[in-house]
Amino acid sequence: MTLSEEQRSLIEEFGIYQENNGFQPAVARVMGLLLVSDRPELTFDEISETLSISKSATSNSLNMLLNTGHIEYTTFSGDRKRYFRIKSSNWRELFAKKMEDLSHLNSLLKRVLEVRKRDNPIYDTKLNDFISFLDYMKAQMPA
């Protein structure tokens, strides 16, 4: 598969973004490739060859993305290959999960303030500001 320089650059940029969010480099690039590819589905070999990553790294990446619900695969009659694609229908679920995670973090931070014995008004003010922001986001996001 041939990618433009702009597509390759965007895959790297997306990969770095996802690495900063905890993804492994190969996983991040596979996801980036599936997003920027001109074709909606790619085979295992196309992914491995296009990104110049080992079959093992490709397999591990695809399994992780499948298990976390970021991608899905389809098959076509008469073709034994699996074709992988971004699971774009689950963005609401992923966003709801992120909001749930932030809500949990907010609860933990409130407990931190309750149990801390240190007297650090500057730190406490910053922590309270963050807690207030998370409370605001939780209240406003449904709207």
Side-chain angles (χ1 to χ4, degrees):
M1 169 185 341
T2 304
L3 296 174
S4 71
E5 193 54 43
E6 187 176 13
Q7 286 172 309
R8 288 195 176 280
S9 177
L10 193 52
I11 289 169
E12 282 305 307
E13 193 173 336
F14 186 81
I16 291 168
Y17 172 81
Q18 289 294 67
E19 281 182 60
N20 290 330
N21 285 297
F23 282 70
Q24 296 171 345
V27 174
R29 267 93 184 149
V30 168
M31 196 167 174
L33 173 61
L34 291 173
L35 283 168
V36 305
S37 172
D38 293 330
R39 297 195 352 250
E41 297 105 5
L42 299 174
T43 66
F44 178 96
D45 289 332
E46 290 170 328
I47 293 167
S48 180
E49 291 167 12
T50 302
L51 294 175
S52 299
I53 57 176
S54 70
K55 292 188 182 291
S56 174
T58 304
S59 179
N60 290 336
S61 297
L62 290 171
N63 285 330
M64 195 287 269
L65 291 168
L66 284 166
N67 290 335
T68 57
H70 287 87
I71 66 170
E72 60 190 358
Y73 71 88
T74 189
T75 56
F76 298 105
S77 182
D79 188 350
R80 294 177 13 163
K81 295 179 182 174
R82 293 192 303 172
Y83 291 80
F84 299 91
R85 63 183 173 213
I86 292 292
K87 189 174 177 182
S88 57
S89 63
N90 71 336
W91 69 268
R92 284 182 176 90
E93 296 166 22
L94 292 172
F95 191 77
K97 173 81 171 91
K98 284 283 186 194
M99 291 305 297
E100 186 180 307
D101 290 346
L102 286 175
S103 182
H104 181 69
L105 172 62
N106 198 19
S107 297
L108 289 172
L109 293 175
K110 287 176 181 179
R111 288 177 47 210
V112 164
L113 280 178
E114 291 173 9
V115 301
R116 280 175 27 115
K117 299 288 189 245
R118 294 176 288 191
D119 184 26
N120 189 336
I122 295 172
Y123 178 80
D124 289 350
T125 298
K126 289 179 181 180
L127 196 52
N128 271 315
D129 285 347
F130 185 48
I131 289 168
S132 295
F133 174 75
L134 291 174
D135 284 336
Y136 172 80
M137 290 296 291
K138 185 177 178 180
Q140 295 301 312
M141 287 309 285

